[in-house]
Amino acid sequence: MNISIGDLSRRTGIKVPTIRFYEQIGLVSAPPRTLGNQRRYGQAEVDRLNFIRNARGLGFEVDDIRELLQMAGEPQSSCHQADSIAMNHLREVDRRIAKLTALRNELARMIEHCGHGHICDCQVISVLAGADSHIVESATALGEPASSAAGLRG
């Protein structure tokens, strides 16, 4: 196989700039080039980029993917380290889910307490304005900045 970066992008579902970025950070080796300076890729790059795409789809960070790729190149080695990376990632996913669940519950409570009448009596506006700061403080305690907890964009 001797394909261009565009063909590689189509085969893997990864955009050309992302492929170049992965080359820059060392997740994918720089490929050989033609006399016209065009990158040429083979099946190994297709397989590696599919691995990266799948790992990113599961939310793994670049450093973890780098380690997992290195382990994948040593098929007879113990998978203990790969299991450890996956377990750490699962704990982080569980932590994020807990934070989002708590945030969701606070938002639902805020909406539930809204009288659905006039803006001057609106619980949503009141909370966002800081009049009912315990909701924002509760979400902030989950590790979110107050502006994020209140749904504000800065």
Side-chain angles (χ1 to χ4, degrees):
M1 179 182 299
N2 185 16
I3 60 174
S4 69
I5 195 167
D7 288 339
L8 181 65
S9 174
R10 283 185 285 284
R11 287 177 187 244
T12 62
I14 298 175
K15 294 181 179 180
V16 169
T18 304
I19 294 170
R20 289 183 181 135
F21 171 72
Y22 289 157
E23 288 174 9
Q24 289 173 349
I25 64 171
L27 283 182
V28 177
S29 299
R33 293 180 179 254
T34 65
L35 292 175
N37 205 29
Q38 186 182 45
R39 293 173 168 93
R40 303 309 290 181
Y41 298 88
Q43 187 61 47
E45 288 81 16
V46 171
D47 294 343
R48 189 169 183 93
L49 284 168
N50 284 331
F51 184 103
I52 293 167
R53 186 195 66 238
N54 292 335
R56 291 298 290 158
L58 289 169
F60 284 98
E61 297 293 330
V62 170
D63 289 338
D64 289 338
I65 295 171
R66 186 175 280 114
E67 283 188 62
L68 291 165
L69 282 166
Q70 185 177 0
M71 288 178 234
E74 302 169 6
Q76 298 306 315
S77 297
S78 168
C79 67
H80 173 75
Q81 184 62 24
D83 291 344
S84 177
I85 290 170
M87 285 299 292
N88 288 338
H89 184 55
L90 178 59
R91 279 192 286 276
E92 178 60 21
V93 167
D94 286 340
R95 186 187 68 75
R96 288 180 191 165
I97 290 170
K99 283 175 60 174
L100 288 170
T101 299
L103 184 59
R104 186 207 178 284
N105 291 341
E106 288 297 337
L107 286 167
R109 193 177 80 130
M110 178 178 71
I111 293 165
E112 180 182 313
H113 287 100
C114 185
H116 309 294
H118 297 96
I119 289 294
C120 63
D121 299 320
C122 181
Q123 179 69 14
V124 173
I125 298 298
S126 177
V127 168
L128 296 177
D132 196 359
S133 63
H134 78 277
I135 291 176
V136 175
E137 290 168 3
S138 175
T140 303
L142 297 170
E144 297 292 326
S147 61
S148 275
L152 301 176
R153 302 277 183 243

